[in-house]
Amino acid sequence: MNDLNLTINGKPYPTAGRFDVLNPATGGVAGTAPNATLADLDLAVDAAKRAFVDWSQTTDSERQAACEAVAAILGDHAAELAALITTEQGKPLNGLGSRWEMGGAQAWADFTAKLSLPVKVLQDNNAGRVELHRKPLGVVGSITPWNFPVMIAVWHVLPALRTGNTVVIKPSPFTPLATLRAVELMNQVLPAGVLNIVTGDDRDVNLGAAMSAHPDIRKIVFTGSCATGQKVMQSAATTMKRLTLELGGNDAGIVLPDADPQAIAEGLFWGAFINNGQTCAAMKRLYVHESIHDAVCDALVAFAAEIPVGNGADEGSVLGPVQNRMQFDKVTRLVADAATRGKVLLGGKPGDGLFFPPTIISGLRNGDPLVDEEQFGPALPVIRYTDIEEAIAAANNSPNGLGGSIWTSDVEAGRKLAARMECGSVWINKHGAIQPNVPFGGVKASGLGVEFGDEGLAEYTDMQAVFS
Ligand code: NAD
């Protein structure tokens, strides 16, 4: 049984209450997690605040070395953490599952360790010298979702530590176990109090809400739904917290008439169904030109039909269950509605427990709930279009703006269309491929600020101009 403790001020911190964490593949209990109180949260924030005094004064190279040590310890324990992720999240060990997530977590940690924000000299002449310094903020509160628990934790924690901040992280109540263990491990190579963790079941106490309003937290980095992100922004206002909000997406893919249906089928499938569609920047709507609509649907269905779905602990599984009942019910509702409006080409009916087969439904359009809402699950609506202007307008007709993609054999034409997509990332002939050196973030309701690269690192700092 996985019964991990909080880590506060470098030590295991047992709480009075605990809650069950379920294995979505079996419905059984995967482990229990601490149900922290608001007083426990205060202790964690206080530990981080006290640790900031020394940590913020460490040299750049000391922090780089510490972050490299974090990457290394994650790598050393990748197999153990992958098994925990699969048990609580449901994704397979195999393929683009939990081992892949751990590979990403380690790579991101290592890359972030090597980033730096040197002092910039803005002016140095007879009139004087002006330097621009980047200073850490203080205590950063990290709030993570349930889809990529360890990778997203690394995306939050590493840039915060690298720039001299200290952290209190709070994972999703659905997937706290791997993060509890990852933080325990990272504490083996970090000074006490620099990285602390609280977990809770979000029932009587909402730790995320308390963090967003906490007077001693200087920044919140939040990844999750648009609705919760808006609440974070509201409650952060009174303490003027810095915010990075990575929120929901409803990414569109547009297939141009010159694309080769066979050649793009695999990329389309993984663009939409990676992590069972439970990915912020997954392709959630597919617009296909009428001249190749049927050929694209046939190729996509043929590829998807061969994907083995099962318990992620089985090496043969390539997709697992939906992570939780709430999400499963949402996908079930949207697919049942879409089936009355369009044509179910694959899947369409819920399986046992939380299993839902890859589902592809054509004949839909903007205005249909499966097209307009973020399904965050294994169901892709396909929309036929005649004119590219119509497709671009429909793709942009969304409050979200996280990612988008163009599928074409003319990459230059794809780049021109990319400029017209209202989203933070556009891919040509792929979807959702993110990199640690490239800023990633949403426009419109999909968020505020970016992660990754120098621009992402800078979000964990205040600027200070020094005139001499
Ligand atoms: P969620 O908003 O339900 O929960 C996210 C986190 O917020 C959890 O840790 C939760 O406990 C916490 N929380 C709950 N109430 C809160 C409050 N009032 N104040 C502060 N925190 C609170 O999201 P989810 O269902 O876990 O994740 C799925 C969503 O996340 C999808 O919309 C997806 O698109 C989005 N997402 C975005 C990105 C991105 O980078 N843009 C990445 C992954 C997921």
Side-chain angles (χ1 to χ4, degrees), residues 143-147 152 170-173 202 206 208-209 212 222-226 228 231-232 246-249 280 284 374 376 402 440 446 451:
I143 304 175
T144 56
W146 46 259
N147 56 347
I152 293 178
K170 190 211 81 64
S172 164
D202 277 2
N206 189 317
S212 313
F222 170 87
T223 302
S225 63
C226 294
T228 312
K231 287 185 198 158
V232 170
E246 294 292 356
L247 309 180
C280 53
K284 292 173 181 145
E374 185 189 28
F376 215 61
L402 195 54
F440 171 75
S446 286
E451 297 186 272

Side-chain angles (χ1 to χ4, degrees), residues 414-433:
R415 285 204 195 98
K416 286 202 180 100
L417 289 174
R420 299 180 58 197
M421 304 275 287
E422 296 171 1
C423 47
S425 305
V426 189
W427 295 275
I428 295 165
N429 294 326
K430 55 190 167 189
H431 195 115

Side-chain angles (χ1 to χ4, degrees), residues 248-251 398-404 422-425 441-447:
N250 195 5
D251 291 12
S398 164
N400 295 111
L402 195 54
E422 296 171 1
C423 47
S425 305
V443 303
K444 304 201 281 188
S446 286

